Coordinates of all heavy atoms in Angstrom, one line a residue:
Q1 N 190.0 97.3 98.8 CA 190.8 98.4 98.9 C 191.7 98.6 97.7 O 192.3 97.7 97.2 CB 191.7 98.4 100.2 CG 192.3 99.7 100.5 CD 191.4 100.6 101.2 OE1 190.3 100.3 101.5 NE2 191.9 101.8 101.4
V2 N 191.7 99.8 97.1 CA 192.5 100.1 96.0 C 193.5 101.2 96.3 O 193.0 102.2 96.9 CB 191.6 100.5 94.8 CG1 192.4 101.0 93.6 CG2 190.7 99.4 94.3
Q3 N 194.7 101.1 95.9 CA 195.7 102.2 96.1 C 196.1 102.6 94.7 O 196.3 101.8 93.8 CB 196.9 101.7 96.9 CG 196.6 101.3 98.3 CD 197.8 101.0 99.1 OE1 198.8 100.4 98.6 NE2 197.8 101.4 100.4
L4 N 196.1 104.0 94.6 CA 196.4 104.6 93.3 C 197.7 105.4 93.4 O 197.9 106.2 94.3 CB 195.3 105.5 92.9 CG 193.9 104.8 92.8 CD1 192.8 105.8 92.6 CD2 193.8 103.7 91.8
V5 N 198.6 105.3 92.4 CA 199.8 106.0 92.4 C 200.0 106.7 91.0 O 200.1 106.0 90.0 CB 201.0 105.2 92.7 CG1 202.3 106.0 92.6 CG2 200.9 104.5 94.0
E6 N 200.0 108.0 91.0 CA 200.1 108.8 89.7 C 201.5 109.1 89.4 O 202.4 109.2 90.4 CB 199.4 110.1 89.8 CG 197.9 110.0 90.1 CD 197.6 110.3 91.5 OE1 198.4 110.0 92.4 OE2 196.4 110.7 91.8
S7 N 201.9 109.2 88.2 CA 203.2 109.5 87.7 C 203.1 110.2 86.4 O 202.1 110.1 85.7 CB 204.2 108.3 87.7 OG 203.6 107.4 86.7
G8 N 204.2 110.8 86.0 CA 204.3 111.4 84.6 C 204.1 112.9 84.6 O 204.3 113.5 83.5
G9 N 203.9 113.5 85.7 CA 203.8 115.0 85.7 C 205.2 115.6 85.5 O 206.2 114.9 85.5
G10 N 205.1 116.9 85.3 CA 206.4 117.7 85.2 C 206.1 119.0 84.6 O 205.0 119.5 84.6
L11 N 207.2 119.6 84.2 CA 207.2 121.0 83.6 C 207.3 120.8 82.0 O 208.3 120.2 81.5 CB 208.4 121.8 84.1 CG 208.6 123.2 83.5 CD1 207.4 124.1 83.8 CD2 209.9 123.8 84.0
V12 N 206.4 121.5 81.3 CA 206.4 121.4 79.9 C 206.1 122.8 79.3 O 205.3 123.5 80.0 CB 205.4 120.3 79.4 CG1 204.0 120.7 79.8 CG2 205.6 120.1 77.9
Q13 N 206.6 123.1 78.2 CA 206.2 124.4 77.5 C 204.8 124.2 76.9 O 204.3 123.2 76.5 CB 207.2 124.7 76.5 CG 208.6 125.1 77.0 CD 209.5 125.7 75.9 OE1 209.4 125.3 74.8 NE2 210.4 126.6 76.4
A14 N 204.2 125.4 76.7 CA 202.9 125.4 76.1 C 203.0 124.8 74.7 O 203.9 125.0 74.0 CB 202.4 126.9 76.0
G15 N 202.0 124.0 74.4 CA 202.0 123.3 73.1 C 202.6 121.9 73.2 O 202.5 121.1 72.2
G16 N 203.2 121.6 74.3 CA 203.8 120.3 74.5 C 202.9 119.3 74.9 O 201.6 119.5 75.1
S17 N 203.4 118.1 75.3 CA 202.6 116.9 75.7 C 203.2 116.2 76.9 O 204.4 116.3 77.1 CB 202.5 115.9 74.5 OG 201.9 116.4 73.4
L18 N 202.3 115.6 77.6 CA 202.7 114.8 78.7 C 201.7 113.6 78.8 O 200.5 113.7 78.4 CB 202.6 115.5 80.1 CG 203.7 116.5 80.4 CD1 203.3 117.2 81.7 CD2 205.0 115.8 80.6
R19 N 202.2 112.5 79.3 CA 201.3 111.4 79.5 C 201.3 111.0 81.0 O 202.4 110.6 81.5 CB 201.6 110.1 78.7 CG 200.6 109.0 78.8 CD 200.9 107.8 78.0 NE 201.9 106.9 78.5 CZ 202.0 105.6 78.2 NH1 201.1 105.1 77.4 NH2 202.9 104.9 78.8
L20 N 200.2 111.1 81.7 CA 200.1 110.7 83.1 C 199.7 109.3 83.2 O 198.9 108.8 82.4 CB 199.1 111.6 83.8 CG 199.3 113.1 83.7 CD1 198.2 113.8 84.6 CD2 200.7 113.5 84.2
S21 N 200.2 108.6 84.1 CA 199.9 107.2 84.4 C 199.3 107.1 85.8 O 199.8 107.9 86.7 CB 201.0 106.3 84.3 OG 201.6 106.4 83.0
C22 N 198.4 106.2 86.0 CA 197.9 105.9 87.4 C 197.9 104.4 87.6 O 197.1 103.7 86.9 CB 196.5 106.5 87.5 SG 195.7 106.1 89.0
A23 N 198.8 104.0 88.4 CA 198.9 102.6 88.6 C 198.1 102.2 89.8 O 198.2 102.8 90.9 CB 200.4 102.2 88.9
A24 N 197.2 101.2 89.7 CA 196.3 100.7 90.7 C 196.7 99.4 91.2 O 197.2 98.5 90.5 CB 194.9 100.7 90.2
S25 N 196.6 99.2 92.6 CA 196.7 97.9 93.2 C 195.5 97.2 93.1 O 194.4 97.7 92.9 CB 197.2 98.1 94.6 OG 196.1 98.7 95.4
G26 N 195.5 95.9 93.3 CA 194.3 95.1 93.4 C 194.0 94.3 92.2 O 194.4 94.8 91.0
R27 N 193.4 93.2 92.3 CA 193.2 92.3 91.2 C 191.9 92.5 90.4 O 191.6 91.9 89.4 CB 193.2 90.8 91.7 CG 194.5 90.4 92.2 CD 194.4 88.9 92.8 NE 193.7 89.0 94.1 CZ 193.4 88.0 94.9 NH1 193.9 86.8 94.5 NH2 192.8 88.1 96.0
T28 N 191.0 93.4 91.0 CA 189.8 93.7 90.3 C 189.7 95.0 89.6 O 188.7 95.6 89.5 CB 188.6 93.6 91.4 OG1 188.9 94.6 92.4 CG2 188.5 92.2 92.0
F29 N 190.9 95.5 89.2 CA 191.0 96.8 88.6 C 190.0 96.9 87.4 O 189.5 98.0 87.2 CB 192.4 97.0 88.1 CG 192.6 98.3 87.2 CD1 192.7 99.5 87.9 CD2 192.7 98.2 85.9 CE1 192.8 100.7 87.1 CE2 192.8 99.4 85.1 CZ 192.9 100.6 85.7
S30 N 189.8 95.8 86.6 CA 189.0 95.9 85.5 C 187.5 96.2 85.8 O 186.8 96.5 84.9 CB 189.1 94.6 84.7 OG 188.6 93.5 85.5
R31 N 187.2 96.1 87.1 CA 185.8 96.4 87.5 C 185.7 97.8 88.0 O 184.6 98.1 88.6 CB 185.4 95.4 88.5 CG 185.1 94.0 87.9 CD 183.9 94.1 87.0 NE 183.5 92.8 86.4 CZ 182.5 92.6 85.5 NH1 181.8 93.6 85.2 NH2 182.3 91.4 85.1
Y32 N 186.6 98.6 87.9 CA 186.6 100.0 88.4 C 186.5 101.0 87.3 O 187.3 101.0 86.4 CB 187.8 100.3 89.3 CG 187.8 99.6 90.6 CD1 188.1 98.3 90.8 CD2 187.5 100.4 91.8 CE1 188.0 97.7 92.0 CE2 187.4 99.8 93.0 CZ 187.7 98.4 93.1 OH 187.6 97.8 94.3
A33 N 185.6 102.0 87.5 CA 185.6 103.1 86.6 C 186.7 104.1 87.1 O 186.9 104.2 88.3 CB 184.2 103.8 86.7
M34 N 187.3 104.7 86.2 CA 188.5 105.6 86.6 C 188.3 107.0 86.1 O 187.6 107.2 85.1 CB 189.8 105.0 86.0 CG 190.1 103.6 86.3 SD 190.3 103.4 88.1 CE 191.8 104.3 88.3
G35 N 188.8 108.0 86.9 CA 188.7 109.3 86.5 C 190.0 110.1 86.8 O 190.8 109.7 87.6
W36 N 190.1 111.2 86.1 CA 191.2 112.2 86.4 C 190.5 113.5 86.7 O 189.6 114.0 86.1 CB 192.1 112.4 85.1 CG 193.0 111.2 84.8 CD1 192.8 110.2 84.0 CD2 194.3 111.0 85.4 NE1 193.9 109.4 84.0 CE2 194.8 109.8 84.9 CE3 195.1 111.7 86.4 CZ2 196.1 109.3 85.2 CZ3 196.3 111.2 86.7 CH2 196.8 110.0 86.1
F37 N 191.1 114.1 87.8 CA 190.7 115.4 88.2 C 191.9 116.3 88.4 O 193.0 115.8 88.4 CB 189.9 115.3 89.6 CG 188.6 114.6 89.5 CD1 188.5 113.2 89.4 CD2 187.4 115.3 89.5 CE1 187.3 112.6 89.3 CE2 186.2 114.7 89.5 CZ 186.1 113.3 89.3
R38 N 191.7 117.6 88.5 CA 192.8 118.5 88.7 C 192.5 119.6 89.6 O 191.2 120.0 89.7 CB 193.3 119.0 87.3 CG 192.4 119.9 86.6 CD 192.9 120.3 85.2 NE 192.1 121.1 84.5 CZ 192.2 121.4 83.2 NH1 193.3 121.0 82.5 NH2 191.4 122.2 82.5
Q39 N 193.5 120.2 90.3 CA 193.2 121.3 91.2 C 194.3 122.3 91.0 O 195.5 121.9 91.3 CB 193.1 120.8 92.6 CG 192.6 121.9 93.5 CD 192.2 121.4 94.9 OE1 192.5 120.2 95.3 NE2 191.5 122.2 95.7
A40 N 194.0 123.4 90.6 CA 194.9 124.6 90.4 C 195.0 125.3 91.7 O 194.0 125.3 92.5 CB 194.5 125.4 89.3

């Protein structure tokens, strides 16, 4: 079982930058493919 917690979102002006993080639980994280999706 893996639990994922995202952070780093917020409000930014066009042209700006953000860095999102996704912290995963579990000792086998290195064996997981990871992805980012979005929904407007």
Side-chain angles (χ1 to χ4, degrees):
Q1 191 77 5
V2 174
Q3 293 185 326
L4 305 172
V5 179
E6 302 97 334
S7 62
L11 174 64
V12 64
Q13 289 187 332
S17 298
L18 284 173
R19 187 177 80 157
L20 304 184
S21 299
C22 173
S25 66
R27 292 173 292 179
T28 59
F29 173 78
S30 62
R31 286 295 182 180
Y32 284 78
M34 303 297 294
W36 285 96
F37 292 76
R38 65 187 180 187
Q39 188 166 19

